[in-house]
Amino acid sequence: MNKNEMIKNVKELAIPALHVTFSMNVDELNETVRNAMFERFVSEVVCDSELCGVSPIESRKFAIDFIQNNDYVKNCLTATINLVLNGAFTKKWQLNNFVDKLLWVHVVKACHEKLGNNKNIPIDMI
């Protein structure tokens, strides 16, 4: 896949915080996709953690700590970035479903550890 094809593909995925232009070189594109996918993971973890009872005020800090300190999630982020850059996703819903399935159970487990036996946590999903 050439640079223009990569740019066209990642633009169509409509990743939050992604501002891609055809004047970018490959390194700039890679860095932009990396940053955007980090934000995409943060938004997913924030959403899931709030569903599990983490307060909205704490949820972004929780999400960033969770992503930076969990080897599984760091590896998932790296793998997802590589998949995006290699054109594995052609539709926004494919990427969204992939990220959601990668993270949900792990976020629930982390929330359970953080909050204890909170009734809001769907423990049957673990």
Side-chain angles (χ1 to χ4, degrees), residues 52 54 108-123 126:
C52 291
V54 176
V108 172
K109 283 182 180 176
C111 290
H112 185 68
E113 288 167 12
K114 177 180 174 53
L115 300 173
N117 289 320
N118 184 318
K119 296 216 185 302
N120 291 335
I121 299 176
I123 198 70
I126 294 179

Side-chain angles (χ1 to χ4, degrees), residues 61-78:
K61 181 184 181 316
F62 170 79
I64 292 169
D65 289 348
F66 174 67
I67 294 166
Q68 291 176 336
N69 296 313
N70 183 305
D71 287 340
Y72 167 83
V73 176
K74 280 195 287 194
N75 290 339
C76 286
L77 178 57
T78 301

